[in-house]
Amino acid sequence: MHDAAIQAATAQIRRTEEGSAPAPVVCTFFDEATNTASHVVHCPVTKQAAVIDSVLDYDAAAGRTSHGSAQAIVDYVEREGLTVEWQLETHAHADHLSAAPWLQEKIGGKLGIGADIIRVQNVFGKIFNAGTRFARDGSQFDHLFTDGETFRIGELPVTVLHVPGHTPADMAFVIGNAAFVGDTIFMPDFGTARADFPGGDPRPLFRSIRRLLSLPVETRLFLCHDYKAPGRDEYAWLTTVGHERAYNIHVHDGVGEDEFVEMRTARDATLAMPRLLMPSVQVNMRGGHLPEPEADGVSYIKIPVNRL
């Protein structure tokens, strides 16, 4: 099937590999508490940068936030002399809170996410009974990306790909010869993301993954999570299209859509809900902002009983 967005992404990857465009510089910050990899990617020529999938530290037992993980990003940006143009979210995460608004105050950057965040806001706005004061139009974000959209970070070309399945709003950002793929796919020995959250679906997830794996085999894939598969002692978040196609335990070449859907559905039925799902979604659907304070000036996280 003709896919202009994939063709555009493939062309920019080829240009980067040929040396006619700069390769992105990537520094990853791994938060072991949430198994999340946040990435700072920058243009080596202009020093313009984007932060992807940042983490706000959250102590669920105490109900307190802190900024140690995000401060490490600030320190790196300042040390390297970077200018942050974007705070990018691959989707509204269910396993960690976004630090994007706090980072915007410290180092700047427009906050961007996929346009289908509106669908997520509608679904979870009802689940959490967020009321009419919660806007369900994506207005909490500075920019809503659509499939195939292109822009630049300095001299780095960026192509945005819609890759639904884990959630309806997942986006991948192809930056030079690197793709930041969020939760669609994991390291080859761990497999793929779950698709059982409200709005998730394993069938479009399979198609999204195969779309990503149609990029050139040398494309670097930067992942959002790692859980150290059995037998592996170190966390990892960088792989390639070619390695995934050859070795991913769930979607290597030769695995069909129906086979994947059957596997993913059965596997998801055994998984517990993420530990931080309740606070994460309520904050992330608001662009990383806490719910509006109540009359006492305090923000509250709701826990809908027997709802999920």
Side-chain angles (χ1 to χ4, degrees), residues 39 53 89-93 95 161-174 179-188 190-197 200-215 220-227 237 239 241 244 248-252 260 263-264 267-268:
H39 309 288
D53 292 333
E89 301 287 352
T90 56
H91 63 294
H93 305 273
D95 39 29
L161 303 177
H162 185 212
V163 286
H166 175 60
T167 79
D170 282 64
M171 307 298 281
F173 297 91
V174 182
F180 298 81
V181 299
D183 290 9
T184 53
I185 196 168
F186 298 141
M187 292 300 291
F190 201 86
T192 57
R194 66 194 297 167
D196 60 332
F197 295 145
D201 189 326
R203 201 164 292 278
L205 176 61
F206 177 83
R207 296 170 187 172
S208 293
I209 292 171
R210 294 312 307 181
R211 189 183 191 209
L212 289 170
L213 297 186
S214 71
L215 292 169
R220 296 181 292 161
L221 302 181
F222 287 87
L223 316 180
C224 187
H225 293 288
D226 186 55
Y227 303 95
W237 47 80
T239 181
V241 166
E244 294 284 354
N248 188 285
I249 59 173
H250 294 166
V251 287
H252 59 78
F260 174 82
M263 178 282 301
R264 189 70 261 174
R267 180 175 173 82
D268 288 350

Side-chain angles (χ1 to χ4, degrees), residues 94-288:
D95 39 29
H96 71 271
L97 284 65
S98 170
W102 187 84
L103 286 170
Q104 283 183 296
E105 291 182 2
K106 300 294 183 179
I107 53 177
K110 294 178 290 186
L111 177 56
I113 199 168
D116 280 320
I117 186 62
I118 294 169
R119 293 178 57 190
V120 175
Q121 289 176 328
N122 275 301
V123 169
F124 280 97
K126 294 174 183 176
I127 288 174
F128 290 113
N129 194 29
T132 57
R133 294 179 67 187
F134 170 54
R136 294 162 170 82
D137 57 2
S139 57
Q140 300 87 347
F141 300 85
D142 298 312
H143 187 81
L144 302 182
F145 290 102
T146 57
D147 184 53
E149 187 171 346
T150 61
F151 64 103
R152 301 184 80 83
I153 299 170
E155 295 186 12
L156 298 173
V158 186
T159 300
V160 186
L161 303 177
H162 185 212
V163 286
H166 175 60
T167 79
D170 282 64
M171 307 298 281
F173 297 91
V174 182
I175 305 176
N177 63 355
F180 298 81
V181 299
D183 290 9
T184 53
I185 196 168
F186 298 141
M187 292 300 291
D189 57 0
F190 201 86
T192 57
R194 66 194 297 167
D196 60 332
F197 295 145
D201 189 326
R203 201 164 292 278
L205 176 61
F206 177 83
R207 296 170 187 172
S208 293
I209 292 171
R210 294 312 307 181
R211 189 183 191 209
L212 289 170
L213 297 186
S214 71
L215 292 169
V217 294
E218 65 272 18
T219 307
R220 296 181 292 161
L221 302 181
F222 287 87
L223 316 180
C224 187
H225 293 288
D226 186 55
Y227 303 95
K228 284 198 299 192
R232 176 158 53 85
D233 296 327
E234 301 293 331
Y235 290 110
W237 47 80
L238 173 59
T239 181
T240 66
V241 166
H243 209 66
E244 294 284 354
R245 290 182 60 171
Y247 301 113
N248 188 285
I249 59 173
H250 294 166
V251 287
H252 59 78
D253 286 354
V255 173
E257 183 174 317
D258 290 340
E259 178 184 357
F260 174 82
V261 169
E262 181 180 0
M263 178 282 301
R264 189 70 261 174
T265 301
R267 180 175 173 82
D268 288 350
T270 71
L271 300 178
M273 283 293 175
R275 178 176 60 90
L276 294 181
L277 181 143
M278 296 295 182
S280 295
V281 175
Q282 287 178 76
V283 169
N284 295 337
M285 71 183 186
R286 293 177 165 88

